[in-house]
Amino acid sequence: MYVGQRVKRKEDLKLITGTGRYIDDIEISGNLYIAILRSNVSHAKLKKIEYNDALKLNGVYGVITGLTIPVENRPRNFPMAKDEILYMGQPIAAVLAKDRYVAVDALDYISYDYEELPAVIDPEEAINSKVKAIEDYDNVIYKKTYSGGNAEEAYEKSDVKIEEKLVISRVYAAPMEPRGLVVDYQQDRLTVYASTQSPHYMRSFLLSAFGDKINDIRVIQADVGGAFGSKLFPYPEDYIAVFAALTYKRPVKLINTRRDDILSTYHSRGQIHKVKVGASKDGKINSIIDDLIIDLGAAWHGTYLADIPATLITGPYDIKNAKVNVFGVLTNKTPLDQYRGAGRPEAAFVYERIMDIVADELKIDPIELRRKNLIQSTPYKNVMGLTYDSGDYNALLTKAESYYREMEQRAEELRKQGRKVGVGLSFYIEQNNFGPWESASVRLLSNGKVEVVIGAAPHGQGTATGIAQIVADELEINIDDVEVTWGDTDKISNAFGTYGSRSLTLAGNAALLATRKLKENIMKLAAQFMKSDVEELQYKDGKVFNPKTGKSMTLKEIARKVTSNLGGVWRYKAEPTLEATASFGFDNYTFPYGSHIAMVEVTEEGVVKVLDYVAIDDIGVVVNPMLAEGQVHGGVIQGFGETILEQIVYDNNGNLLTSTFADYLIPSAVESFNLKWFYMEIGKSSAPLPAKGIGEGATIGAPPALIRAIERAIGKRLTTLPIKMEELNK
């Protein structure tokens, strides 16, 4: 059995030997290179663009300006500014040239006249709409209220009333590889090679825009150097590159520089929560009321990032009354969309800050406060209507408590030595398997090997290895005989991609169901070849055998018999089918949960050092503990970055001050630390393979645990992410 084992990743050899093929490695003969001129102001009327001098440069083929395409939840000036500049970094013009250096040089020969307009930067000030940020839209572009019970009445009747403002700053996903794409022009179709998380979705949105100009678009996912949610949704560059290929009837290539990427890749988080909490004297939380302001930037496709925390505002706690007023506001900033966790880290930061603040106010042990409020059994419908499917939250809290108490003992000894040391704990629940479904095809090849084509589009998660384990177990064959492929819209017709902690659960179960279908076909074929009834046959160890006659056939023998007779006829009643396709989706989300415990020290210089860290998760059946642990390690370090280092900063005029890695700090090996990961397998899903996702859990659980530990170390309440350096030095 492979499921449950720490199988090494099958997909890594080409990556660690330098033979991977990323977007910038792809060259098509005769392709033109695109360079983007981006706005250096945040808000202005665009009056005139002059590019004749650029056209005079040797090697420049053309300049594109004023391109606008109607796309849902985008402003009129998309993908380029035509009459109004909306944010710093917005595309103004695109140069096509014979090489990238000429294209970039030509940008210096383009000028544009503009009349600067007031910039709307502060999301709280944006609400009053005194100054319009984006075209003629009201700044409050999205408004919704989520409510359950009677939050106002319960708050007023509470013994203890607490109000707090919690701020979660904008962040940049910071993948190793900036975004890019190569478009290969052919007369009746385009082939787009992209650094994407969803080839099928990219094909869909490009066909929606250009379907009247081209018969078909094939999208192929190149190797992807990280994404974390940032390479899923439509970007201006996608439309500009495809438009350029169709206009000039040439292959084109567009690769972001790092500065381009920080300026233009959708930022994330960017929320303010004005929270009121009502509790009884014994620590029972009666009510949560939250005014949630989300800074959407210069578009409004990220509104769901407020909906998710609004519906998860009570977390894993049995709180009967809650109300969240969502205000999605436009500002003159880069648009906002998902980053690893996508709304769930924001929710956890709020409800875990609430737990720790109430514990401090009432002088109740934070573990005991959580235990008093924790959901006691599942399934459980929360106050906003989400049904948490399975799990034993008390069992996990008890497990986490043992590590917490042990760390607290050590921290107390260190505090006696005069060191600023603190311990923090978080308990989170995650809504995942955003779908709605995923597909897979399983093929028995003529050499007896098995090819699995999945609709998910992994890019570093190790999904291919996990799915190979599932298929190998079902067929009872060696995992080396299973090859998993993905990322090509021509290979599988309908699919979604990789995001939302969904790939192994949805695509893995689709592959399992497809494998079972294939096995049924194999049994029918073997029955014909062996002159037996299907009911007489058994399948074991990759073979079909008849216990009565002693005859058997391997998968390789069956495949060869189906495919070997080039000029003959088919005399068998069974269809010669060696391929099966299946799709799988849930009728509800899945809800894994976990706890993180951190012990940190804050030095006199204000440096945060993590002395010990434990993460515990319940994700149902763990297909490959090594893959899961890798996801946890990476997610915790990203959570550390978001808590201590990472922040997108604009000045009052909308100038991005953190446009390079000299200004936008991400954790390096120096800041990284060891951690221990443990797992439970109580909260199984209802799938044939009852697993749940792990990809985003660590980014949800890490910030609340870390900020609490730092808070305890410095003795000061902390309410913002990231923590300000001046707070650490006081």
Side-chain angles (χ1 to χ4, degrees), residues 574-603:
E575 289 186 20
T577 302
L578 297 178
E579 177 176 348
T581 298
S583 298
F584 178 81
F586 285 106
D587 61 0
N588 184 27
Y589 300 105
T590 57
F591 292 86
Y593 56 100
S595 181
H596 287 223
I597 310 99
M599 181 167 71
V600 308
E601 178 178 11
V602 180
T603 69

mmCIF file of all heavy atoms in Angstrom, residues 574-603:
data_model
loop_
_atom_site.group_PDB
_atom_site.id
_atom_site.type_symbol
_atom_site.label_atom_id
_atom_site.label_comp_id
_atom_site.label_asym_id
_atom_site.label_seq_id
_atom_site.Cartn_x
_atom_site.Cartn_y
_atom_site.Cartn_z
ATOM 1 N N ALA A 574 -16.627 -7.425 -25.634
ATOM 2 C CA ALA A 574 -16.245 -6.276 -24.804
ATOM 3 C C ALA A 574 -15.642 -5.169 -25.670
ATOM 4 O O ALA A 574 -14.937 -5.438 -26.650
ATOM 5 C CB ALA A 574 -15.240 -6.708 -23.743
ATOM 6 N N GLU A 575 -15.907 -3.931 -25.315
ATOM 7 C CA GLU A 575 -15.307 -2.800 -26.030
ATOM 8 C C GLU A 575 -13.804 -2.769 -25.771
ATOM 9 O O GLU A 575 -13.356 -2.985 -24.642
ATOM 10 C CB GLU A 575 -15.916 -1.480 -25.556
ATOM 11 C CG GLU A 575 -17.349 -1.252 -25.997
ATOM 12 C CD GLU A 575 -17.843 0.127 -25.609
ATOM 13 O OE1 GLU A 575 -17.002 1.011 -25.350
ATOM 14 O OE2 GLU A 575 -19.069 0.314 -25.547
ATOM 15 N N PRO A 576 -13.017 -2.488 -26.817
ATOM 16 C CA PRO A 576 -11.557 -2.416 -26.642
ATOM 17 C C PRO A 576 -11.145 -1.087 -26.015
ATOM 18 O O PRO A 576 -10.375 -0.304 -26.598
ATOM 19 C CB PRO A 576 -11.036 -2.561 -28.066
ATOM 20 C CG PRO A 576 -12.121 -1.981 -28.914
ATOM 21 C CD PRO A 576 -13.410 -2.326 -28.241
ATOM 22 N N THR A 577 -11.650 -0.821 -24.835
ATOM 23 C CA THR A 577 -11.440 0.468 -24.175
ATOM 24 C C THR A 577 -10.413 0.320 -23.066
ATOM 25 O O THR A 577 -10.612 -0.447 -22.125
ATOM 26 C CB THR A 577 -12.760 0.999 -23.596
ATOM 27 O OG1 THR A 577 -13.717 1.112 -24.642
ATOM 28 C CG2 THR A 577 -12.555 2.359 -22.944
ATOM 29 N N LEU A 578 -9.336 1.058 -23.201
ATOM 30 C CA LEU A 578 -8.287 1.041 -22.192
ATOM 31 C C LEU A 578 -8.145 2.396 -21.513
ATOM 32 O O LEU A 578 -7.085 2.766 -21.016
ATOM 33 C CB LEU A 578 -6.953 0.634 -22.828
ATOM 34 C CG LEU A 578 -6.897 -0.772 -23.418
ATOM 35 C CD1 LEU A 578 -5.554 -1.021 -24.063
ATOM 36 C CD2 LEU A 578 -7.176 -1.822 -22.343
ATOM 37 N N GLU A 579 -9.225 3.137 -21.505
ATOM 38 C CA GLU A 579 -9.206 4.471 -20.901
ATOM 39 C C GLU A 579 -10.551 4.736 -20.246
ATOM 40 O O GLU A 579 -11.594 4.328 -20.760
ATOM 41 C CB GLU A 579 -8.931 5.538 -21.958
ATOM 42 C CG GLU A 579 -8.959 6.962 -21.432
ATOM 43 C CD GLU A 579 -8.581 7.993 -22.480
ATOM 44 O OE1 GLU A 579 -8.080 7.602 -23.551
ATOM 45 O OE2 GLU A 579 -8.793 9.191 -22.222
ATOM 46 N N ALA A 580 -10.504 5.406 -19.121
ATOM 47 C CA ALA A 580 -11.734 5.795 -18.421
ATOM 48 C C ALA A 580 -11.560 7.186 -17.839
ATOM 49 O O ALA A 580 -10.471 7.559 -17.396
ATOM 50 C CB ALA A 580 -12.070 4.793 -17.319
ATOM 51 N N THR A 581 -12.626 7.937 -17.852
ATOM 52 C CA THR A 581 -12.627 9.304 -17.326
ATOM 53 C C THR A 581 -13.707 9.433 -16.267
ATOM 54 O O THR A 581 -14.784 8.846 -16.394
ATOM 55 C CB THR A 581 -12.879 10.324 -18.452
ATOM 56 O OG1 THR A 581 -11.819 10.225 -19.408
ATOM 57 C CG2 THR A 581 -12.934 11.747 -17.916
ATOM 58 N N ALA A 582 -13.407 10.189 -15.249
ATOM 59 C CA ALA A 582 -14.386 10.424 -14.189
ATOM 60 C C ALA A 582 -14.206 11.831 -13.642
ATOM 61 O O ALA A 582 -13.140 12.441 -13.767
ATOM 62 C CB ALA A 582 -14.236 9.394 -13.066
ATOM 63 N N SER A 583 -15.252 12.323 -13.041
ATOM 64 C CA SER A 583 -15.207 13.608 -12.338
ATOM 65 C C SER A 583 -15.715 13.392 -10.931
ATOM 66 O O SER A 583 -16.489 12.473 -10.663
ATOM 67 C CB SER A 583 -16.060 14.654 -13.061
ATOM 68 O OG SER A 583 -15.579 14.888 -14.368
ATOM 69 N N PHE A 584 -15.272 14.267 -10.036
ATOM 70 C CA PHE A 584 -15.703 14.136 -8.643
ATOM 71 C C PHE A 584 -15.897 15.511 -8.033
ATOM 72 O O PHE A 584 -15.078 16.415 -8.217
ATOM 73 C CB PHE A 584 -14.682 13.365 -7.814
ATOM 74 C CG PHE A 584 -15.072 13.257 -6.360
ATOM 75 C CD1 PHE A 584 -15.986 12.302 -5.951
ATOM 76 C CD2 PHE A 584 -14.551 14.132 -5.419
ATOM 77 C CE1 PHE A 584 -16.377 12.215 -4.622
ATOM 78 C CE2 PHE A 584 -14.927 14.058 -4.087
ATOM 79 C CZ PHE A 584 -15.850 13.093 -3.686
ATOM 80 N N GLY A 585 -16.997 15.666 -7.320
ATOM 81 C CA GLY A 585 -17.246 16.894 -6.582
ATOM 82 C C GLY A 585 -18.055 16.605 -5.333
ATOM 83 O O GLY A 585 -18.761 15.594 -5.253
ATOM 84 N N PHE A 586 -17.924 17.485 -4.331
ATOM 85 C CA PHE A 586 -18.697 17.371 -3.091
ATOM 86 C C PHE A 586 -19.971 18.206 -3.186
ATOM 87 O O PHE A 586 -20.023 19.184 -3.934
ATOM 88 C CB PHE A 586 -17.886 17.906 -1.907
ATOM 89 C CG PHE A 586 -16.784 17.001 -1.441
ATOM 90 C CD1 PHE A 586 -15.462 17.294 -1.711
ATOM 91 C CD2 PHE A 586 -17.069 15.862 -0.706
ATOM 92 C CE1 PHE A 586 -14.434 16.482 -1.262
ATOM 93 C CE2 PHE A 586 -16.058 15.033 -0.255
ATOM 94 C CZ PHE A 586 -14.739 15.346 -0.530
ATOM 95 N N ASP A 587 -20.954 17.862 -2.381
ATOM 96 C CA ASP A 587 -22.130 18.717 -2.262
ATOM 97 C C ASP A 587 -21.991 19.686 -1.092
ATOM 98 O O ASP A 587 -22.915 20.406 -0.745
ATOM 99 C CB ASP A 587 -23.409 17.880 -2.106
ATOM 100 C CG ASP A 587 -23.396 17.005 -0.865
ATOM 101 O OD1 ASP A 587 -22.399 17.028 -0.111
ATOM 102 O OD2 ASP A 587 -24.380 16.277 -0.639
ATOM 103 N N ASN A 588 -20.812 19.708 -0.474
ATOM 104 C CA ASN A 588 -20.503 20.657 0.589
ATOM 105 C C ASN A 588 -19.000 20.870 0.584
ATOM 106 O O ASN A 588 -18.245 20.070 0.010
ATOM 107 C CB ASN A 588 -20.951 20.112 1.955
ATOM 108 C CG ASN A 588 -20.738 21.116 3.086
ATOM 109 O OD1 ASN A 588 -20.744 22.329 2.872
ATOM 110 N ND2 ASN A 588 -20.547 20.616 4.297
ATOM 111 N N TYR A 589 -18.553 21.947 1.195
ATOM 112 C CA TYR A 589 -17.120 22.131 1.378
ATOM 113 C C TYR A 589 -16.621 21.144 2.428
ATOM 114 O O TYR A 589 -17.399 20.553 3.176
ATOM 115 C CB TYR A 589 -16.825 23.561 1.835
ATOM 116 C CG TYR A 589 -17.282 24.613 0.854
ATOM 117 C CD1 TYR A 589 -18.415 25.381 1.101
ATOM 118 C CD2 TYR A 589 -16.595 24.838 -0.327
ATOM 119 C CE1 TYR A 589 -18.845 26.345 0.203
ATOM 120 C CE2 TYR A 589 -17.017 25.801 -1.237
ATOM 121 C CZ TYR A 589 -18.138 26.550 -0.968
ATOM 122 O OH TYR A 589 -18.556 27.489 -1.863
ATOM 123 N N THR A 590 -15.321 20.968 2.471
ATOM 124 C CA THR A 590 -14.737 20.206 3.570
ATOM 125 C C THR A 590 -14.097 21.185 4.547
ATOM 126 O O THR A 590 -13.713 22.294 4.176
ATOM 127 C CB THR A 590 -13.695 19.194 3.078
ATOM 128 O OG1 THR A 590 -12.672 19.879 2.355
ATOM 129 C CG2 THR A 590 -14.340 18.153 2.187
ATOM 130 N N PHE A 591 -13.959 20.766 5.799
ATOM 131 C CA PHE A 591 -13.493 21.668 6.847
ATOM 132 C C PHE A 591 -12.413 20.999 7.698
ATOM 133 O O PHE A 591 -12.682 20.522 8.805
ATOM 134 C CB PHE A 591 -14.666 22.118 7.716
ATOM 135 C CG PHE A 591 -15.639 23.016 7.005
ATOM 136 C CD1 PHE A 591 -16.674 22.470 6.248
ATOM 137 C CD2 PHE A 591 -15.506 24.387 7.059
ATOM 138 C CE1 PHE A 591 -17.571 23.290 5.583
ATOM 139 C CE2 PHE A 591 -16.394 25.213 6.391
ATOM 140 C CZ PHE A 591 -17.428 24.670 5.651
ATOM 141 N N PRO A 592 -11.190 20.946 7.191
ATOM 142 C CA PRO A 592 -10.089 20.509 8.053
ATOM 143 C C PRO A 592 -9.837 21.550 9.139
ATOM 144 O O PRO A 592 -10.296 22.695 9.041
ATOM 145 C CB PRO A 592 -8.906 20.410 7.088
ATOM 146 C CG PRO A 592 -9.246 21.314 5.959
ATOM 147 C CD PRO A 592 -10.739 21.310 5.841
ATOM 148 N N TYR A 593 -9.103 21.164 10.152
ATOM 149 C CA TYR A 593 -8.858 22.065 11.274
ATOM 150 C C TYR A 593 -7.507 21.739 11.877
ATOM 151 O O TYR A 593 -6.914 20.682 11.610
ATOM 152 C CB TYR A 593 -9.974 21.944 12.313
ATOM 153 C CG TYR A 593 -10.179 20.533 12.837
ATOM 154 C CD1 TYR A 593 -9.659 20.127 14.060
ATOM 155 C CD2 TYR A 593 -10.894 19.591 12.097
ATOM 156 C CE1 TYR A 593 -9.848 18.835 14.534
ATOM 157 C CE2 TYR A 593 -11.087 18.297 12.557
ATOM 158 C CZ TYR A 593 -10.559 17.926 13.776
ATOM 159 O OH TYR A 593 -10.730 16.649 14.230
ATOM 160 N N GLY A 594 -6.989 22.666 12.678
ATOM 161 C CA GLY A 594 -5.674 22.436 13.244
ATOM 162 C C GLY A 594 -5.335 23.430 14.330
ATOM 163 O O GLY A 594 -6.103 24.342 14.646
ATOM 164 N N SER A 595 -4.155 23.236 14.905
ATOM 165 C CA SER A 595 -3.675 24.110 15.969
ATOM 166 C C SER A 595 -2.178 24.327 15.798
ATOM 167 O O SER A 595 -1.447 23.395 15.451
ATOM 168 C CB SER A 595 -3.957 23.493 17.341
ATOM 169 O OG SER A 595 -3.504 24.349 18.377
ATOM 170 N N HIS A 596 -1.750 25.562 16.024
ATOM 171 C CA HIS A 596 -0.329 25.897 15.971
ATOM 172 C C HIS A 596 0.097 26.456 17.324
ATOM 173 O O HIS A 596 -0.645 27.236 17.945
ATOM 174 C CB HIS A 596 -0.053 26.934 14.888
ATOM 175 C CG HIS A 596 -0.139 26.389 13.498
ATOM 176 N ND1 HIS A 596 0.774 26.697 12.519
ATOM 177 C CD2 HIS A 596 -1.016 25.537 12.914
ATOM 178 C CE1 HIS A 596 0.460 26.083 11.387
ATOM 179 N NE2 HIS A 596 -0.643 25.364 11.618
ATOM 180 N N ILE A 597 1.283 26.068 17.770
ATOM 181 C CA ILE A 597 1.830 26.530 19.042
ATOM 182 C C ILE A 597 3.236 27.045 18.781
ATOM 183 O O ILE A 597 4.063 26.337 18.186
ATOM 184 C CB ILE A 597 1.869 25.406 20.098
ATOM 185 C CG1 ILE A 597 0.505 24.709 20.198
ATOM 186 C CG2 ILE A 597 2.271 25.964 21.456
ATOM 187 C CD1 ILE A 597 0.408 23.406 19.424
ATOM 188 N N ALA A 598 3.507 28.283 19.188
ATOM 189 C CA ALA A 598 4.805 28.903 18.912
ATOM 190 C C ALA A 598 5.406 29.475 20.189
ATOM 191 O O ALA A 598 4.692 30.063 21.014
ATOM 192 C CB ALA A 598 4.642 30.015 17.884
ATOM 193 N N MET A 599 6.710 29.317 20.334
ATOM 194 C CA MET A 599 7.455 29.983 21.400
ATOM 195 C C MET A 599 8.486 30.892 20.740
ATOM 196 O O MET A 599 9.300 30.428 19.936
ATOM 197 C CB MET A 599 8.145 28.983 22.325
ATOM 198 C CG MET A 599 8.921 29.658 23.459
ATOM 199 S SD MET A 599 9.453 28.532 24.785
ATOM 200 C CE MET A 599 10.735 27.607 23.949
ATOM 201 N N VAL A 600 8.420 32.177 21.055
ATOM 202 C CA VAL A 600 9.315 33.133 20.410
ATOM 203 C C VAL A 600 10.048 33.958 21.455
ATOM 204 O O VAL A 600 9.595 34.104 22.601
ATOM 205 C CB VAL A 600 8.558 34.078 19.452
ATOM 206 C CG1 VAL A 600 7.701 33.300 18.474
ATOM 207 C CG2 VAL A 600 7.721 35.087 20.215
ATOM 208 N N GLU A 601 11.168 34.508 21.003
ATOM 209 C CA GLU A 601 11.913 35.470 21.804
ATOM 210 C C GLU A 601 12.058 36.747 21.000
ATOM 211 O O GLU A 601 12.325 36.708 19.798
ATOM 212 C CB GLU A 601 13.295 34.929 22.173
ATOM 213 C CG GLU A 601 14.126 35.925 22.977
ATOM 214 C CD GLU A 601 15.479 35.369 23.396
ATOM 215 O OE1 GLU A 601 15.861 34.296 22.892
ATOM 216 O OE2 GLU A 601 16.148 36.017 24.234
ATOM 217 N N VAL A 602 11.871 37.887 21.663
ATOM 218 C CA VAL A 602 12.109 39.180 21.047
ATOM 219 C C VAL A 602 13.365 39.761 21.682
ATOM 220 O O VAL A 602 13.419 39.984 22.900
ATOM 221 C CB VAL A 602 10.908 40.132 21.249
ATOM 222 C CG1 VAL A 602 11.187 41.482 20.599
ATOM 223 C CG2 VAL A 602 9.637 39.519 20.663
ATOM 224 N N THR A 603 14.387 39.977 20.870
ATOM 225 C CA THR A 603 15.661 40.472 21.388
ATOM 226 C C THR A 603 15.568 41.966 21.673
ATOM 227 O O THR A 603 14.611 42.644 21.295
ATOM 228 C CB THR A 603 16.792 40.214 20.381
ATOM 229 O OG1 THR A 603 16.592 41.060 19.234
ATOM 230 C CG2 THR A 603 16.816 38.758 19.944
#
